[in-house]
Structures are given as C-alpha cells and as structure tokens.
C-alpha cells in the first residue's frame, strides 16, 4: 500500500487545523450561551486547542490514508477514527482524472480522481500524489483494465469455441474473423483493447485504447478538469457538431409546428410559477395597483385601502384568475421557446437532438447509455390523444448529465406507441391492475389528507376572523374520484424482455425497462401495506440524477405478485445479460421512427 | 439467512441516545433563548426518545437478515417499512468495509455495496465482526469481478 505525497500531510494538517479551530470556537460560544457554567470567553483557550488537535488529526489522516493496486481491484483505505477500506474492480472504473491547480503545478503534484458509474461523487480521490506517481497510476489502471478485459475475452472465446466444437464437429474453424489469440493460452498482448470491437466500442474505460503508461497527451486531466476524453461515453449536453444536422446524421423526428403548438398549450411548467412569483416579489407595488385597476370594472375596490368585503372578494377572484392566466401564458411561451424547431437525428449509434428559439441547445444521447424509455402524457394530452417520449440515460462524473431527455416531445399516441415499440422492441403491453384493495388504500389515504385540510381551516377559523371553516368539508367530495383516478392509472406488464410500469394521473408515465438494465429490485411494505397484504416493487436503474423523477415503482400489488415480479426481474436480468454477451446486441433500435424499423433509408 | 451480530443493538441504541441528547440540548436552547420549556418536558422528551430508540433497535435487529444467493446479495430489513432488496453481483460497482468510532469500540464493522442506481444505490450491512466483514467484502468483490458488466451503464 502507498501513501500520498508527504506535502499533503501539511495541507491536511492546515485544513483540519483551521476547521477544528472554527468548530471549537463556535461550539464554545453556542454552548456557553445555553449552559451557564460554560463561559463563552473560554474560546480563547479552546480555539488554539482545536487548532492543535486539528493539525494532529490532519497529520494522522495522512498516515492513515493508503492506496494500492492489486491484481483485480484498486484499493483505498482511509480514516482516523472511522475507517473505510474500499475495493474498486478495474472493470468498473469509468474514468481516471488528473487535476492540477496552481499550487499542485508549482510543486509537481496532481490530484487523481477515480470515478465509477452512478452516484454523483468521486469514488476515490487521491489528494494529492506526485505527477510521476499520478501518471504511473493512470497507466497501471489502464493496463490492468485492459488485462482483465483481455482475460474475459479469451475466456468467452474459449467458451464459444467449445460450444461450437460440440455443436458442429464437422466444422473445423469458426467463421468469424477471430484474432490469432483464439488459442487457449492467454497472451500478454496489450494492443488488443484498441481494436476491441468485441465489446461495445463506446468503452466505459476512456483510457483503454492507449496502453502506454507515459502518454498523457490525450488524457483529460493533465491540465483541464473536464473528463472529456471520450465524448461518446457521456450523455452530455455539450455541443457536438456546430452545423445543424450534418451530413453524417440522419433525421429521425421533427417536431411539426402543429405538434409544437399543441405541446406548448397542453404542458405546464412549474418554472413559470417561479417566474411569476419572482417578478411579483420585485415589483409588488405596481403589480398590486395593476390588479386593483383590472378588478375595478368587475366591482373591485377603487383603492386597496378602501373597500367592502364583497369588493375584496371580487378583487381576490379576479386577481387569482389573472395570476393563473399569466402563469399559463408564460408557461406556454417558455415551452414554445424551449422546444421550437426540435429535431432528433442519429449519428452512428448516438441520438442527437437540437431545439430552442432564442438559445439553441443540442446534445447527444449514446444509444447504449439508454437505461429506460418513458411515455408521458398529462390529462389534456390524453384527451386529444397525444403523448411524449423520453429516454433516461446514466451519466457519471461532474461533466456528464444523466437523466431524462426528450426524444419526441409530443406526437400522436399511435405514433408514440409505435416509436416505443420500435425503439425498445417491447411487445404491446397488456397491463395488469393492482388489486382493488389498493383503491381502498388510496381512499383512506386521501380521506386523511382531507381531514388534515379541514382541520387547518378549523384552526384558521379559531385564530382569524374567518368563520365558515365547515365549507372546507367539500374537499371530501374530491376523495373518491382522486382515489379512483390514481388507481385506474396504475398498471404493470411483465414482458418477454421488458418490464412496463404505468403510474400517475397528472403526468401519466409508462416506463419500459429492459431487464438487462435493472440495477436492484426492492419489495417494500409499509405497516399499512402489511395489514392489507400489499407490497410495492421498486425497480431501480442506473442514473446519476435522483431528483427529477421518482424511481419506477409498481405500487400496491399483492405481496405474492410483487415477489413473483421480483424473482422474474432477477432471473431475466441474468439471462438477458448472458444473451447480450453472446449476441453483442445494443438492445436499442436507433432508427425507431422508421416505419419498418429495419434500418432502410429514412423516408424524407 | 444470516442475522447481524447482537451487539449491533448497542450501536443503534447509542445512536438513538445521541439523537435524544441533541434534541434535549436544542430544547434547552429554546428554553434559554426563546420561550420557557419546563424541565420536566425536556426530560420527558429525552426519555421517550430513548425508550422508542431502544424498542426500535431491538425490533430492527430481529428483522435484519441477509444472504448471498446464486446471483445476488439479498437483504431484508426495516421496522416501519419492511424492504427486501436484491443486489445482483453484476451491478456491484465497488465494496467498502467501514466502521465509525462507536462501531470500533463495540468491535463491529459494516460492509457497504455500491451500485450505479438511484435509489438504494448503496446498500449497507451493519453489525458484522471485522473478520466477517473482511470475508464478505472479499466474497462480494470476487463475485463482482467474475460477473460481466459489459453493457455500458
């Protein structure tokens, strides 16, 4: 195991010294304020003590931080009081970054960051090592990753050969263009990974193609922090091609003006609410005057200071309508400007999109990074028979954003369904509904919420002049329809190669998850669900964004069904992975808008 | 199925006690600066917090189980919401052993398994003896290295 550069002991010492100094000061002052026996003035003594202890801690941290390269994994152990020892298999490493600030450059040092897929944080950060050591590490990791891949490739090939030999003894040689290394002896050739067409070529290991450990030329991090060595490996929004839809690219979908208008008018953006509120806070006076003026013809008060309760009521209603209308108009304009001229195309096996009226956005979505596909539709869109198609991708590192990207903002439902089926290869789902017990659960849940609402109004009536709190009992009328609507929109389908999950009334999302994209499966039962014999199944896929949409969940099905799907998902993940390894299949049909979806020339 | 080491209850109880004490200090601060809070109420809140913490810890220990199955690490846990999780070995990104100061004092250690997922992306198995944790980490690492994960996540 190796230690960091000795200079990092100094920086850690100072860092923790000042941290603990301020911590000791704040703690002494706060505790001195609360408890009489402690004097706030003690900080004169505690702060230097904190500093000394902090320095000691920082130095101890340096001595307790170790990293090392083993045949299979990169290991890091750290921590003084709390210890952590981490083992990262080489094959899971996505990125090795070197970073140098001014200080590091001055002293010939570098910060090495090692990233794996998922999770927003850096998995191992060596802060810091000498430049030569950093380059050695990068080269070593690259080489060992290549070794592991090579071992695997040969093992697979051997397995394939054995299979073929058994299958057809008459055939002497496999017909594929196998490399000479098809003999069972493992060779130490390092040149193979570069021509690594066996695996998916958008290698998650950016450094692999260059086996030389002392060639930092094309490395992302020698000076710049951006891990942009391999643009195809990330689903980022960086501009990839300056010209709109270059010659290599093929158009897959254009958002027609009609669809753009429908999309603008039928979708609502919460950002519009934020925008309106923002403007209101900055120009409260003029806006209130304006609202009063607008409400006047309808019987509102002549001035905000003078008016009867009726005229105030009218003012409130008219202003509320104004607010809603303005927010809606803003939302329509925002959507229009954002999705104006939306185009989706393909370049190789990447989806490329661009959109925007005032500012043009473009980005690419590598097909092999697509984790799941979601069809969304809100009540309005469902009414007119339209829906949108989104793809979820996984990203890693600070520069690449995973998350949801719109592949087709809005199109006729029939087309969207055809797109989805072409894109993922899923069969038309026959949805299963949760048991009716689930609806009873929502009835109970919404009744509780309604009760809380009434209680709040009752409380308000006690505290303010507002008296007719009992009118709020009307909310109970919304409970049965709400429960029913939530229930009827739930559904799931266990397909041959995909799991399809539908949920949500306001935004109904139908997510198609290929089994081979499953990360973990969780069966969850709250105390309420246990009483009713229900369970929810959470099917997790890879993504670095957690806040956008909730994880696909099959809500409130019978425990037995949930366990069945749980087992099925796990089994099919394994078989699908085996199949994919054999067929080298991308799993995503890039030409999904093509009517025959078999890759013929696109009809323009 | 394997249960956790029984000393884990002490760790959870200690954590609950620390939480109860912090709540007590906050209440004392409220009493000092904002409004009078009777000492009896502060003491009551702390004691109730402690009792609930103890009950929760004991129950949690009773339900916590895990197992290494043929294709995945399987865990069951949870008092309020009972969760059964399967983490396929192919999805294991890396494995940690960790222990904090209290765990160290109790001679315990945790294994944390990371996946690239969004929810439950890191799965923690607490309450293992250091030897068992080490052994589990080795096993999981081997299984993770063995399994193929060529599909770019």
């Amino acid at each position: 195991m190796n230690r960091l550069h000795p200079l990092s002991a100094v920086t850690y010492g100072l860092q923790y010294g000042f941290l603990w100094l301020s911590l000791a000061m704040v703690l002494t002052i706060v505790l001195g304020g609360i408890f009489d026996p402690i004097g706030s003035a003690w900080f004169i003594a505690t702060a230097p003590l904190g500093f000394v202890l902090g320095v000691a801690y920082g130095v101890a941290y340096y001595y307790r931080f170790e990293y090392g390269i083993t045949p299979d994994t990169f290991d890091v152990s750290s921590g003084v009081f709390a210890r952590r020892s981490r083992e990262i298999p080489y094959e899971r490493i996505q990125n090795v970054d070197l970073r140098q600030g001014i200080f590091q450059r001055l002293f010939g040092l570098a910060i090495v960051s090692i990233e794996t897929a998922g999770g927003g944080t850096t998995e191992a950060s060596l802060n810091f090592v000498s430049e030569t050591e950093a380059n050695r590490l990068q080269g070593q990791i690259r080489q060992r990753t290549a070794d592991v891949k090579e071992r695997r490739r040969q093992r697979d090939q051997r397995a394939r050969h054995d299979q073929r030999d058994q299958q057809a003894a008459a055939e002497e040689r496999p017909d594929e263009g196998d490399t000479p290394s098809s003999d069972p002896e493992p060779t130490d050739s390092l040149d193979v990974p570069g021509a690594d067409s066996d695996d998916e070529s958008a290698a998650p290991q950016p450094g692999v193609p260059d086996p030389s450990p002392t060639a930092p030329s094309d490395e992302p991090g020698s000076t710049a922090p951006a891990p942009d060595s391999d643009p195809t490996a990330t689903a980022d929004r960086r501009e990839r091609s300056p010209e709109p839809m270059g010659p290599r690219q093929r158009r897959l979908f254009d958002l027609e003006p009609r669809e753009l208008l429908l999309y603008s008018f039928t979708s609502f953006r919460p950002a519009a609410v934020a925008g309106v509120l923002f403007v209101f806070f900055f120009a409260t006076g003029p806006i209130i005057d304006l609202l009063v003026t607008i409400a006047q013809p309808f019987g509102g008060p002549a001035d905000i200071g003078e008016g009867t309760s009726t005229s105030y009521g009218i003012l409130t209603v008219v202003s509320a309508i104004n607010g809603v209308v303005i927010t809606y108009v803003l939302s329509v304009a925002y959507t229009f400007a954002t999705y104006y001229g939306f185009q989706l195309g393909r370049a190789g096996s990447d989806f490329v999109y661009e959109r925007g009226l005032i500012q043009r956005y473009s980005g690419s979505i590598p097909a092999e990074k697509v984790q799941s596909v979601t069809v969304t539709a809100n009540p309005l869109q469902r009414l007119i028979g339209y829906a949108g198609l989104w793809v979820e991708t996984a990203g890693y590192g600070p520069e690449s954003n995973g998350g949801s990207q719109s592949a087709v903002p809005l199109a006729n439902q029939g087309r969207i369904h055809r797109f989805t089926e072409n894109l993922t290869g899923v069969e038309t789902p026959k949805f299963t509904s949760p048991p009716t017990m689930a609806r009873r659960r929502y009835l109970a849940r919404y009744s509780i919420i309604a009760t809380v609402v009434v209680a709040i109004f009752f409380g308000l009536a006690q505290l303010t002049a507002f008296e007719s709190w009992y009118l709020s009992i009307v909310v109970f009328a919304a409970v049965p329809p709400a429960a029913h609507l939530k229930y009827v929109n739930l559904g799931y389908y266990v397909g041959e190669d995909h799991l399809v999950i539908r949920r949500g009334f306001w935004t109904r999302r139908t997510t198609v998850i290929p089994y081979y994209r499953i990360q973990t499966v969780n069966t969850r039962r709250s105390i309420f669900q246990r009483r009713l014999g229900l369970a929810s199944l959470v099917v997790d896929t890879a993504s670095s964004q957690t806040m956008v949409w909730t994880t696909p969940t099959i809500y409130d099905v019978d425990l037995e069904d949930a366990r069945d799907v749980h087992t099925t998902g796990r089994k099919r993940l394994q078989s699908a992975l085996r199949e994919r390894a054999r067929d080298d299949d991308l799993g995503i049909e890039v030409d999904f808008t093509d009517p025959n979806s078999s890759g013929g020339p696109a009809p323009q | 199925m394997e249960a956790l080491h029984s000393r884990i209850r002490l760790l959870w109880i200690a954590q609950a006690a620390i939480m109860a004490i912090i709540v007590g200090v906050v209440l004392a601060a409220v009493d000092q600066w904002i409004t009078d809070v009777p000492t009896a109420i502060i003491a009551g809140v702390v004691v109730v917090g402690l009792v609930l913490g103890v009950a929760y810890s004991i129950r949690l220990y009773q339900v916590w189980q895990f197992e290494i199955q043929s294709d995945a690490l399987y865990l069951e846990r949870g008092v309020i919401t009972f969760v059964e999780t399967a983490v396929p070995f192919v999805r294991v990104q890396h494995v940690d052993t960790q222990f904090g100061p209290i765990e160290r004092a109790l001679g315990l250690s945790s294994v944390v398994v990371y996946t690239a997922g969004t929810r439950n992306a890191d799965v923690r198995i607490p309450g293992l003896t250091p030897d068992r944790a080490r052994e589990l980490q080795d096993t999981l690492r081997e299984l993770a290295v063995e399994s193929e994960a060529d599909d770019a996540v």
Side-chain angles (χ1 to χ4, degrees), chain A residues 51-89:
Chain A
F51 182 75
V52 172
L53 289 177
V55 170
Y57 180 84
V59 173
Y61 188 86
Y62 162 76
Y63 277 107
R64 301 288 276 148
F65 191 105
E66 288 176 319
Y67 66 90
I69 286 179
T70 70
D72 285 334
T73 55
F74 184 79
D75 296 358
V76 184
S77 335
S78 64
V80 179
F81 300 116
R83 292 281 294 167
R84 188 185 78 185
S85 45
R86 175 165 288 184
E87 295 180 341
I88 309 174

Short mmCIF file of all heavy atoms in Angstrom, two decimals, chain A residues 51-89:
data_model
loop_
_atom_site.label_atom_id
_atom_site.label_comp_id
_atom_site.label_asym_id
_atom_site.label_seq_id
_atom_site.Cartn_x
_atom_site.Cartn_y
_atom_site.Cartn_z
N PHE A 51 -7.17 24.01 17.15
CA PHE A 51 -6.22 24.08 16.05
C PHE A 51 -5.17 22.98 16.17
O PHE A 51 -4.89 22.23 15.22
CB PHE A 51 -5.56 25.45 16.02
CG PHE A 51 -4.60 25.62 14.87
CD1 PHE A 51 -5.08 25.80 13.58
CD2 PHE A 51 -3.23 25.57 15.08
CE1 PHE A 51 -4.21 25.95 12.52
CE2 PHE A 51 -2.36 25.71 14.01
CZ PHE A 51 -2.84 25.90 12.73
N VAL A 52 -4.61 22.86 17.37
CA VAL A 52 -3.56 21.85 17.59
C VAL A 52 -4.10 20.46 17.33
O VAL A 52 -3.50 19.65 16.61
CB VAL A 52 -3.00 21.97 19.03
CG1 VAL A 52 -2.06 20.81 19.32
CG2 VAL A 52 -2.27 23.30 19.20
N LEU A 53 -5.29 20.18 17.89
CA LEU A 53 -5.88 18.85 17.68
C LEU A 53 -6.17 18.63 16.20
O LEU A 53 -5.98 17.53 15.67
CB LEU A 53 -7.17 18.72 18.50
CG LEU A 53 -6.97 18.62 20.01
CD1 LEU A 53 -8.32 18.56 20.73
CD2 LEU A 53 -6.15 17.38 20.36
N GLY A 54 -6.65 19.69 15.54
CA GLY A 54 -6.96 19.58 14.11
C GLY A 54 -5.73 19.24 13.30
O GLY A 54 -5.77 18.37 12.43
N VAL A 55 -4.61 19.93 13.61
CA VAL A 55 -3.37 19.64 12.90
C VAL A 55 -2.96 18.19 13.14
O VAL A 55 -2.62 17.45 12.19
CB VAL A 55 -2.24 20.60 13.35
CG1 VAL A 55 -0.90 20.14 12.81
CG2 VAL A 55 -2.55 22.01 12.87
N ALA A 56 -3.08 17.76 14.40
CA ALA A 56 -2.72 16.37 14.72
C ALA A 56 -3.60 15.42 13.93
O ALA A 56 -3.13 14.42 13.36
CB ALA A 56 -2.89 16.13 16.21
N TYR A 57 -4.90 15.76 13.84
CA TYR A 57 -5.83 14.90 13.11
C TYR A 57 -5.45 14.84 11.64
O TYR A 57 -5.42 13.78 11.03
CB TYR A 57 -7.25 15.42 13.27
CG TYR A 57 -8.28 14.59 12.56
CD1 TYR A 57 -8.81 13.47 13.17
CD2 TYR A 57 -8.71 14.91 11.29
CE1 TYR A 57 -9.74 12.68 12.52
CE2 TYR A 57 -9.64 14.14 10.62
CZ TYR A 57 -10.15 13.03 11.24
OH TYR A 57 -11.06 12.24 10.59
N GLY A 58 -5.14 16.03 11.08
CA GLY A 58 -4.78 16.08 9.66
C GLY A 58 -3.56 15.23 9.36
O GLY A 58 -3.54 14.49 8.37
N VAL A 59 -2.56 15.31 10.24
CA VAL A 59 -1.35 14.53 10.03
C VAL A 59 -1.66 13.04 10.18
O VAL A 59 -1.22 12.20 9.37
CB VAL A 59 -0.24 14.97 11.01
CG1 VAL A 59 0.96 14.05 10.91
CG2 VAL A 59 0.16 16.41 10.72
N ALA A 60 -2.48 12.72 11.20
CA ALA A 60 -2.87 11.32 11.39
C ALA A 60 -3.63 10.83 10.17
O ALA A 60 -3.46 9.69 9.73
CB ALA A 60 -3.73 11.18 12.64
N TYR A 61 -4.46 11.70 9.58
CA TYR A 61 -5.24 11.33 8.40
C TYR A 61 -4.29 10.93 7.27
O TYR A 61 -4.51 9.94 6.58
CB TYR A 61 -6.13 12.49 7.98
CG TYR A 61 -7.09 12.15 6.89
CD1 TYR A 61 -8.32 11.58 7.19
CD2 TYR A 61 -6.78 12.36 5.55
CE1 TYR A 61 -9.21 11.24 6.19
CE2 TYR A 61 -7.65 12.02 4.54
CZ TYR A 61 -8.87 11.46 4.87
OH TYR A 61 -9.73 11.12 3.88
N TYR A 62 -3.24 11.72 7.14
CA TYR A 62 -2.26 11.41 6.10
C TYR A 62 -1.65 10.03 6.33
O TYR A 62 -1.51 9.23 5.40
CB TYR A 62 -1.15 12.48 6.08
CG TYR A 62 0.09 12.04 5.36
CD1 TYR A 62 0.13 12.01 3.98
CD2 TYR A 62 1.22 11.65 6.08
CE1 TYR A 62 1.26 11.58 3.31
CE2 TYR A 62 2.36 11.23 5.41
CZ TYR A 62 2.38 11.20 4.03
OH TYR A 62 3.50 10.78 3.38
N TYR A 63 -1.29 9.75 7.59
CA TYR A 63 -0.64 8.46 7.88
C TYR A 63 -1.60 7.30 7.73
O TYR A 63 -1.20 6.17 7.50
CB TYR A 63 -0.02 8.47 9.27
CG TYR A 63 1.35 9.12 9.25
CD1 TYR A 63 1.54 10.38 9.78
CD2 TYR A 63 2.43 8.45 8.68
CE1 TYR A 63 2.79 10.98 9.75
CE2 TYR A 63 3.67 9.04 8.63
CZ TYR A 63 3.86 10.30 9.17
OH TYR A 63 5.08 10.89 9.10
N ARG A 64 -2.90 7.58 7.90
CA ARG A 64 -3.87 6.50 7.83
C ARG A 64 -4.50 6.37 6.45
O ARG A 64 -5.44 5.62 6.27
CB ARG A 64 -4.98 6.74 8.88
CG ARG A 64 -4.46 6.80 10.29
CD ARG A 64 -4.03 5.45 10.79
NE ARG A 64 -5.15 4.69 11.32
CZ ARG A 64 -5.24 3.37 11.25
NH1 ARG A 64 -4.29 2.69 10.65
NH2 ARG A 64 -6.26 2.73 11.78
N PHE A 65 -4.05 7.16 5.49
CA PHE A 65 -4.59 7.08 4.15
C PHE A 65 -3.65 6.26 3.29
O PHE A 65 -2.50 6.62 3.10
CB PHE A 65 -4.74 8.49 3.56
CG PHE A 65 -5.53 8.52 2.27
CD1 PHE A 65 -6.83 8.98 2.28
CD2 PHE A 65 -4.96 8.08 1.09
CE1 PHE A 65 -7.56 9.00 1.10
CE2 PHE A 65 -5.70 8.10 -0.09
CZ PHE A 65 -7.00 8.56 -0.09
N GLU A 66 -4.16 5.17 2.78
CA GLU A 66 -3.32 4.30 1.97
C GLU A 66 -4.08 3.87 0.72
O GLU A 66 -5.29 3.68 0.78
CB GLU A 66 -2.93 3.06 2.75
CG GLU A 66 -1.93 3.33 3.85
CD GLU A 66 -1.67 2.08 4.66
OE1 GLU A 66 -2.62 1.35 4.95
OE2 GLU A 66 -0.51 1.84 4.99
N TYR A 67 -3.35 3.71 -0.38
CA TYR A 67 -3.97 3.18 -1.58
C TYR A 67 -3.03 2.19 -2.20
O TYR A 67 -1.83 2.21 -1.93
CB TYR A 67 -4.31 4.31 -2.57
CG TYR A 67 -3.09 5.01 -3.12
CD1 TYR A 67 -2.47 4.56 -4.28
CD2 TYR A 67 -2.56 6.11 -2.46
CE1 TYR A 67 -1.35 5.20 -4.78
CE2 TYR A 67 -1.44 6.75 -2.95
CZ TYR A 67 -0.83 6.28 -4.11
OH TYR A 67 0.27 6.91 -4.59
N GLY A 68 -3.59 1.33 -3.02
CA GLY A 68 -2.74 0.31 -3.62
C GLY A 68 -3.39 -0.34 -4.83
O GLY A 68 -4.60 -0.28 -5.00
N ILE A 69 -2.53 -0.93 -5.65
CA ILE A 69 -3.01 -1.62 -6.84
C ILE A 69 -2.87 -3.11 -6.61
O ILE A 69 -1.79 -3.58 -6.27
CB ILE A 69 -2.20 -1.15 -8.06
CG1 ILE A 69 -2.64 0.25 -8.44
CG2 ILE A 69 -2.34 -2.10 -9.22
CD1 ILE A 69 -1.92 0.83 -9.62
N THR A 70 -3.97 -3.85 -6.70
CA THR A 70 -3.94 -5.29 -6.57
C THR A 70 -4.31 -5.87 -7.94
O THR A 70 -4.73 -5.12 -8.82
CB THR A 70 -4.94 -5.77 -5.50
OG1 THR A 70 -6.26 -5.57 -6.01
CG2 THR A 70 -4.79 -5.00 -4.20
N PRO A 71 -4.18 -7.18 -8.12
CA PRO A 71 -4.45 -7.72 -9.46
C PRO A 71 -5.86 -7.40 -9.97
O PRO A 71 -6.05 -7.15 -11.14
CB PRO A 71 -4.27 -9.22 -9.27
CG PRO A 71 -3.32 -9.34 -8.13
CD PRO A 71 -3.59 -8.18 -7.23
N ASP A 72 -6.86 -7.43 -9.07
CA ASP A 72 -8.24 -7.26 -9.52
C ASP A 72 -8.83 -5.90 -9.22
O ASP A 72 -9.80 -5.50 -9.84
CB ASP A 72 -9.14 -8.31 -8.87
CG ASP A 72 -8.95 -9.67 -9.49
OD1 ASP A 72 -8.54 -9.71 -10.66
OD2 ASP A 72 -9.20 -10.68 -8.82
N THR A 73 -8.32 -5.26 -8.17
CA THR A 73 -9.00 -4.06 -7.70
C THR A 73 -8.02 -2.94 -7.38
O THR A 73 -6.84 -3.17 -7.18
CB THR A 73 -9.79 -4.35 -6.39
OG1 THR A 73 -8.88 -4.89 -5.44
CG2 THR A 73 -10.93 -5.29 -6.64
N PHE A 74 -8.57 -1.74 -7.34
CA PHE A 74 -7.84 -0.60 -6.81
C PHE A 74 -8.35 -0.36 -5.40
O PHE A 74 -9.55 -0.23 -5.19
CB PHE A 74 -8.08 0.64 -7.68
CG PHE A 74 -7.29 1.83 -7.25
CD1 PHE A 74 -5.96 1.95 -7.59
CD2 PHE A 74 -7.87 2.83 -6.50
CE1 PHE A 74 -5.21 3.05 -7.19
CE2 PHE A 74 -7.14 3.93 -6.09
CZ PHE A 74 -5.80 4.03 -6.43
N ASP A 75 -7.46 -0.35 -4.42
CA ASP A 75 -7.89 -0.28 -3.02
C ASP A 75 -7.53 1.06 -2.40
O ASP A 75 -6.46 1.60 -2.66
CB ASP A 75 -7.20 -1.37 -2.19
CG ASP A 75 -7.62 -2.76 -2.64
OD1 ASP A 75 -8.46 -2.83 -3.55
OD2 ASP A 75 -7.11 -3.73 -2.08
N VAL A 76 -8.42 1.56 -1.58
CA VAL A 76 -8.14 2.77 -0.82
C VAL A 76 -8.63 2.54 0.61
O VAL A 76 -9.77 2.15 0.81
CB VAL A 76 -8.88 4.00 -1.38
CG1 VAL A 76 -8.50 5.24 -0.62
CG2 VAL A 76 -8.60 4.18 -2.84
N SER A 77 -7.77 2.76 1.60
CA SER A 77 -8.24 2.74 2.99
C SER A 77 -7.96 4.10 3.57
O SER A 77 -6.90 4.68 3.36
CB SER A 77 -7.53 1.70 3.84
OG SER A 77 -7.04 0.68 3.06
N SER A 78 -8.91 4.60 4.33
CA SER A 78 -8.74 5.92 4.89
C SER A 78 -9.49 6.03 6.21
O SER A 78 -10.31 5.18 6.55
CB SER A 78 -9.24 6.99 3.92
OG SER A 78 -10.62 6.83 3.74
N GLY A 79 -9.21 7.11 6.93
CA GLY A 79 -9.96 7.38 8.15
C GLY A 79 -9.13 7.20 9.39
O GLY A 79 -8.32 6.28 9.47
N VAL A 80 -9.30 8.10 10.36
CA VAL A 80 -8.57 8.01 11.61
C VAL A 80 -9.39 7.25 12.65
O VAL A 80 -9.01 6.18 13.09
CB VAL A 80 -8.20 9.42 12.12
CG1 VAL A 80 -7.44 9.31 13.45
CG2 VAL A 80 -7.37 10.14 11.09
N PHE A 81 -10.54 7.83 12.99
CA PHE A 81 -11.41 7.15 13.96
C PHE A 81 -12.39 6.23 13.25
O PHE A 81 -12.60 5.10 13.66
CB PHE A 81 -12.18 8.18 14.78
CG PHE A 81 -11.28 9.09 15.55
CD1 PHE A 81 -11.23 10.44 15.29
CD2 PHE A 81 -10.45 8.57 16.55
CE1 PHE A 81 -10.39 11.28 16.00
CE2 PHE A 81 -9.60 9.40 17.26
CZ PHE A 81 -9.57 10.76 16.99
N ALA A 82 -12.99 6.77 12.20
CA ALA A 82 -13.87 5.95 11.37
C ALA A 82 -13.05 5.47 10.19
O ALA A 82 -12.44 6.27 9.51
CB ALA A 82 -15.06 6.77 10.90
N ARG A 83 -12.99 4.16 9.98
CA ARG A 83 -12.16 3.64 8.90
C ARG A 83 -13.01 3.18 7.74
O ARG A 83 -14.13 2.70 7.92
CB ARG A 83 -11.34 2.44 9.40
CG ARG A 83 -10.29 2.79 10.40
CD ARG A 83 -9.06 3.37 9.76
NE ARG A 83 -8.34 2.40 8.92
CZ ARG A 83 -7.38 2.76 8.09
NH1 ARG A 83 -7.05 4.03 7.97
NH2 ARG A 83 -6.77 1.85 7.36
N ARG A 84 -12.46 3.33 6.56
CA ARG A 84 -13.15 2.84 5.39
C ARG A 84 -12.13 2.19 4.49
O ARG A 84 -11.10 2.79 4.21
CB ARG A 84 -13.79 4.01 4.66
CG ARG A 84 -14.70 3.61 3.54
CD ARG A 84 -15.18 4.81 2.80
NE ARG A 84 -14.14 5.31 1.91
CZ ARG A 84 -14.24 6.43 1.20
NH1 ARG A 84 -15.31 7.17 1.32
NH2 ARG A 84 -13.27 6.81 0.41
N SER A 85 -12.37 0.94 4.10
CA SER A 85 -11.48 0.38 3.08
C SER A 85 -12.32 -0.01 1.88
O SER A 85 -13.30 -0.73 2.01
CB SER A 85 -10.64 -0.77 3.61
OG SER A 85 -11.43 -1.64 4.35
N ARG A 86 -11.92 0.50 0.75
CA ARG A 86 -12.72 0.39 -0.46
C ARG A 86 -11.96 -0.40 -1.49
O ARG A 86 -10.76 -0.24 -1.64
CB ARG A 86 -13.01 1.80 -0.95
CG ARG A 86 -13.74 1.89 -2.25
CD ARG A 86 -14.29 3.27 -2.46
NE ARG A 86 -15.41 3.51 -1.56
CZ ARG A 86 -16.12 4.64 -1.59
NH1 ARG A 86 -15.82 5.60 -2.42
NH2 ARG A 86 -17.13 4.80 -0.77
N GLU A 87 -12.67 -1.26 -2.21
CA GLU A 87 -12.05 -2.04 -3.29
C GLU A 87 -12.85 -1.81 -4.56
O GLU A 87 -14.03 -2.11 -4.60
CB GLU A 87 -12.03 -3.52 -2.94
CG GLU A 87 -11.15 -3.83 -1.74
CD GLU A 87 -11.13 -5.31 -1.39
OE1 GLU A 87 -12.04 -6.03 -1.82
OE2 GLU A 87 -10.20 -5.72 -0.69
N ILE A 88 -12.22 -1.24 -5.56
CA ILE A 88 -12.91 -0.93 -6.81
C ILE A 88 -12.38 -1.84 -7.91
O ILE A 88 -11.22 -1.73 -8.29
CB ILE A 88 -12.69 0.54 -7.22
CG1 ILE A 88 -13.00 1.47 -6.04
CG2 ILE A 88 -13.54 0.91 -8.42
CD1 ILE A 88 -12.67 2.92 -6.32
N PRO A 89 -13.21 -2.75 -8.41
CA PRO A 89 -12.76 -3.61 -9.52
C PRO A 89 -12.41 -2.75 -10.73
O PRO A 89 -13.12 -1.80 -11.04
CB PRO A 89 -13.98 -4.49 -9.81
CG PRO A 89 -14.81 -4.42 -8.58
CD PRO A 89 -14.56 -3.09 -7.98
#
